């Protein structure tokens, strides 16, 4: 019964809300079968390649106050830092030597950086490494700002929607943030021809299975090039300190559903998944993920970019330890490749 639903998803690349919900609720009965279908689908589109992205966490200043996030404005127990433009460019140079061909600039919403500063950083990285892609993860900005950054050479943009349920969104964020503006941003990014990544946390406070089923319909509608999901992990200095963490098991299951719903999507096995479970990233790859995002930030600031407690940041997930990561991934039957790893447009049948 549930296997038939997996077959249906695998051939149609979509299900109804009730069908997604049924799979999520009865996942014990179809998990392994779903994972094997998700792996087959990934292999058909991208082969056994796993793409790597060098993550540069350039600032932990943030003007927002999301209830779940460790770098929220009101967290005073955090040493703040921001890298200089030179330091950011050096991280990318270093990453290039290590084999990275995509750099992700990620930071809190830090008004210290103007559009001009970002544009100049993007241009410098592109001048040094014209064969690389630049992904931005700078939060909510205006259409004009996204446009300038694109013209400076940015290729991709990650902006998780966090939840596809507006009521739920309100329970995760203070009143000065809105679901509507989030969607406006995602829409602007698409209009500007970025390769766009959205995403959500699995097991965030108040999330229900209905919400997770809704996520799948949302993703199908938005049809993003990338989807980043990871378990919610509580942070001791946030209002959500006492809420339970999401699980690797449910996150992995959602990854497989996403692979079958959006066969061509670039799908990371995230650091949060590797944090909640030491084998989390391998489990993600086994369920259809095909991207890893090791940390390229200078070692002394890594500890400070703490969105959640226990974040792995000094071991094998670090970009400098890429050879250890390669060995781990080979055990899943996949290989890490040095490649920009662009989105593959669905071929007409
Ligand atoms: N647990 C897991 N993920 C988190 N993020 C922020 N805080 C947490 C947390 N406590 C995720 C959000 C954000 C991304 C950069 O990190 O989804 O979009
Ligand atoms: Fe910075 Fe959420 S706390 S965007």
């Amino acid at each position: 019964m549930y296997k038939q639903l997996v077959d249906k998803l695998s051939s149609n690349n979509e299900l109804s809300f009730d069908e997604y919900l049924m799979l999520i609720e009865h996942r014990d009965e179809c998990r392994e079968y779903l994972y094997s279908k998700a792996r087959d689908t990934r292999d058909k589109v991208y082969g056994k390649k796993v793409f790597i992205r060098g993550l540069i966490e350039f600032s932990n200043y943030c003007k927002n106050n999301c209830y779940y996030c460790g770098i929220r404005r009101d967290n005073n127990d955090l040493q703040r830092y921001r890298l200089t433009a030179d330091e950011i460019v050096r991280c990318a140079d270093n990453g290039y030597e290590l084999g990275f061909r995509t750099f992700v600039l990620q930071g809190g919403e830090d008004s210290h950086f103007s559009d001009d500063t970002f544009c100049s950083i993007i241009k410098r990285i592109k001048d040094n490494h014209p064969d690389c892609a630049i992904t931005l993860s700078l939060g909510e900005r205006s259409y004009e700002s996204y446009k300038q950054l694109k013209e400076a050479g940015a290729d991709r943009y990650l902006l998780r929607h966090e939840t596809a349920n507006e009521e739920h969104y309100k329970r995760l964020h203070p009143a000065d943030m809105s679901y509507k503006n989030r969607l406006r941003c995602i829409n602007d990014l698409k209009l500007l021809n970025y390769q766009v990544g959205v995403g959500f946390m699995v097991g965030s406070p108040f999330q229900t299975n209905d919400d997770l089923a809704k996520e799948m319909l949302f993703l199908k509608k938005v049809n993003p090039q990338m989807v980043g999901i990871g378990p919610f992990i509580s942070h001791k200095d946030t209002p959500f300190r006492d809420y339970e963490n999401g699980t690797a098991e449910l996150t992995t299951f959602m990854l497989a559903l996403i692979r079958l719903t959006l066969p061509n999507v670039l799908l990371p096995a995230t650091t949060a998944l590797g944090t909640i479970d030491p084998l989390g990233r391998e489990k993600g790859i086994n369920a259809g993920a095909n991207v890893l995002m090791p940390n390229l930030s200078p070692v002394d600031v890594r500890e400070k970019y703490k969105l959640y407690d226990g974040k792995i940041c000094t071991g094998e997930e670090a970009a400098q330890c890429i050879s250890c990561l390669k060995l781990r991934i080979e055990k899943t039957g996949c290989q890490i490749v040095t490649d920009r790893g662009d989105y593959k447009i669905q071929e007409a049948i």
Side-chain angles (χ1 to χ4, degrees):
M1 158 77 177
Y2 303 114
K3 273 192 172 180
Q4 275 169 337
L5 269 185
V6 172
D7 285 334
K8 184 172 173 189
L9 174 59
S10 179
S11 51
N12 297 359
N13 307 127
E14 70 183 315
L15 292 176
S16 68
F17 175 85
D18 289 338
E19 289 169 329
Y20 277 122
L21 186 59
M22 189 128 57
L23 283 184
I24 292 167
E25 294 197 325
H26 297 273
R27 55 190 189 277
D28 283 349
E29 283 141 271
C30 61
R31 183 178 293 113
E32 290 309 320
Y33 188 63
L34 177 77
Y35 293 179
S36 79
K37 288 285 180 185
R39 280 195 299 273
D40 289 351
T41 297
R42 175 202 57 208
D43 293 353
K44 256 184 231 149
V45 182
Y46 290 102
K48 294 276 184 193
K49 290 182 187 173
V50 171
F51 304 112
I52 46 171
R53 322 295 195 196
L55 189 60
I56 304 172
E57 296 160 337
F58 64 86
S59 168
N60 70 353
Y61 284 87
C62 191
K63 65 179 168 61
N64 292 332
N65 229 349
C66 306
Y67 299 138
Y68 46 84
C69 186
I71 66 167
R72 63 200 302 271
R73 178 179 75 222
D74 283 356
N75 182 6
N76 296 318
D77 289 319
L78 177 71
Q79 214 185 328
R80 303 280 172 172
Y81 75 90
R82 60 171 71 90
L83 302 183
T84 63
D86 285 351
E87 284 171 323
I88 297 172
V89 172
R90 266 206 302 277
C91 281
D93 291 342
N94 181 236
Y96 192 88
E97 293 302 313
L98 292 165
F100 289 88
R101 295 296 176 268
T102 292
F103 303 110
V104 183
L105 302 187
Q106 180 171 92
E109 291 196 17
D110 180 357
S111 337
H112 173 86
F113 289 88
S114 66
D115 286 339
D116 285 350
T117 312
F118 280 131
C119 287
S120 135
I121 294 169
I122 294 166
K123 284 185 191 143
R124 285 175 64 187
I125 297 177
K126 279 278 176 163
D127 275 351
N128 292 352
H129 313 291
D131 53 335
C132 290
I134 296 188
T135 304
L136 302 178
S137 179
L138 315 176
E140 298 182 5
R141 306 176 77 84
S142 67
Y143 179 90
E144 262 319 303
S145 167
Y146 289 145
K147 184 160 181 273
Q148 282 185 42
L149 299 168
K150 183 80 173 53
E151 283 164 2
D155 303 279
R156 311 179 185 143
Y157 204 104
L158 306 178
L159 185 66
R160 291 188 179 180
H161 57 290
E162 311 297 357
T163 168
N165 171 346
E166 184 163 10
E167 287 311 306
H168 186 213
Y169 190 94
K170 285 186 193 156
R171 302 182 76 178
L172 301 179
H173 302 95
D176 60 355
M177 291 180 75
S178 83
Y179 183 66
K180 291 203 168 57
N181 196 47
R182 204 63 160 190
L183 296 191
R184 190 274 302 159
C185 289
I186 291 168
N187 196 43
D188 284 354
L189 292 164
K190 288 187 72 169
L191 288 173
L192 287 162
N193 271 328
Y194 279 93
Q195 294 181 43
V196 176
V198 300
F200 56 92
M201 289 177 287
V202 176
S204 59
F206 321 115
Q207 185 180 61
T208 62
N209 284 342
D210 275 31
D211 290 331
L212 289 171
K214 204 169 169 198
E215 289 299 340
M216 300 310 303
L217 302 189
F218 175 89
L219 291 179
K220 192 69 198 173
K221 192 173 77 189
V222 174
N223 193 27
Q225 283 81 24
M226 302 167 284
V227 176
I229 69 165
F232 162 74
I233 304 174
S234 71
H235 186 295
K236 64 179 182 6
D237 302 316
T238 65
F240 286 170
R241 63 179 65 84
D242 293 327
Y243 285 88
E244 247 178 71
N245 292 340
T247 64
E249 181 274 315
L250 184 52
T251 305
T252 310
F253 192 85
M254 295 308 295
L255 282 171
L257 286 184
I258 294 169
R259 169 60 64 203
L260 289 176
T261 302
L262 302 171
N264 291 39
V265 79
L266 289 159
L267 192 62
T270 53
T271 306
L273 182 55
T275 296
I276 204 78
D277 179 335
L279 288 177
R281 279 165 310 167
E282 286 88 337
K283 289 179 182 171
I285 302 284
N286 277 322
N290 66 338
V291 173
L292 291 171
M293 299 171 70
N295 200 315
L296 269 182
S297 316
V299 177
D300 57 316
V301 304
R302 278 188 205 160
E303 290 277 312
K304 298 175 192 150
Y305 198 83
K306 257 187 81 181
L307 307 180
Y308 43 82
D309 285 335
K311 184 176 163 215
I312 47 173
C313 65
T314 47
E316 288 184 7
E317 75 303 328
Q320 285 71 11
C321 228
I322 193 74
S323 51
C324 327
L325 202 59
K326 275 188 180 151
L327 284 176
R328 287 176 67 150
I329 296 309
E330 275 165 21
K331 293 199 180 119
T332 68
C334 291
Q335 288 101 36
I336 288 184
V337 294
T338 298
D339 188 327
R340 274 176 53 124
D342 282 295
Y343 181 75
K344 253 186 142 175
I345 293 169
Q346 201 133 18
E347 284 154 23
I349 315 163

